Amino acid sequence: MNPVLRKVSVFIFALMIAIGVLGLWFVVEPEAAHAAVYTVTLTTDTLPLGAAGELRWAINLANSNPGADTINFSIPGAGPHTLSPLAPIPQLADQVDINGYSEPGSSPADGGPAIIMIEIDGSLAGPGNGLDFGAGGSNSRVRGLAINRCGDHA
């Protein structure tokens, strides 16, 4: 075989392998995390993981879904609504926006007093924080909640 043709063939072969490896890398690259919205519709607390619609359930799902998630509230009936956890609320291990102002009838202070329609009463939860932020939850935001009677602090 002609030496020039052989060098060109080896170069093309190496180039095809490199393109194939790069193409495979793009195919197996993990998909970016997608934010999810979880809605609390119940005031109950089912241990250990929470039932669909409970705050414990929403926090556990947000913790298991990479990326910034949102927890909204839409509890039926006239408020305010009190959530009384039966054990410490799971640590917020991932970024989440807990928006108590999403509950119908509530509103932030906008020239007048805030209207809070969601209360977390920690008196049944035992020792612990009302909300505990882990390293991954450090950029979380909590709005429109009254958090009280927790074993350590809110």
Side-chain angles (χ1 to χ4, degrees):
M1 178 181 265
N2 181 335
V4 173
L5 184 59
R6 182 173 175 87
K7 287 181 182 180
V8 169
S9 297
V10 169
F11 174 76
I12 291 174
F13 181 71
L15 184 61
M16 289 174 59
I17 290 176
I19 290 171
V21 168
L22 283 175
L24 182 60
W25 178 76
F26 284 114
V27 170
V28 297
E29 181 179 359
E31 188 175 324
H34 295 285
V37 177
Y38 306 104
T39 303
V40 175
T41 58
L42 301 169
T43 59
T44 55
D45 186 33
T46 305
L47 298 176
L49 301 176
E54 294 178 342
L55 178 61
R56 184 176 305 279
W57 162 84
I59 291 173
N60 282 324
L61 285 177
N63 282 342
S64 67
N65 183 48
D69 299 311
T70 300
I71 297 176
N72 286 330
F73 294 83
S74 185
I75 300 171
H81 301 286
T82 300
L83 287 69
S84 298
L86 301 175
I89 294 172
Q91 183 182 65
L92 297 165
D94 198 14
Q95 185 177 350
V96 65
D97 178 14
I98 301 177
N99 185 6
Y101 289 128
S102 60
E103 175 65 28
S106 65
S107 63
D110 189 18
I115 300 173
I116 306 295
M117 300 297 282
I118 302 294
E119 173 195 23
I120 297 176
D121 175 354
S123 61
L124 300 177
N129 300 325
L131 292 176
D132 186 15
F133 297 89
S138 62
N139 289 322
S140 293
R141 181 169 65 163
V142 178
R143 303 175 287 148
L145 299 179
I147 304 171
N148 55 51
R149 292 185 282 286
C150 299
D152 292 340
H153 49 78

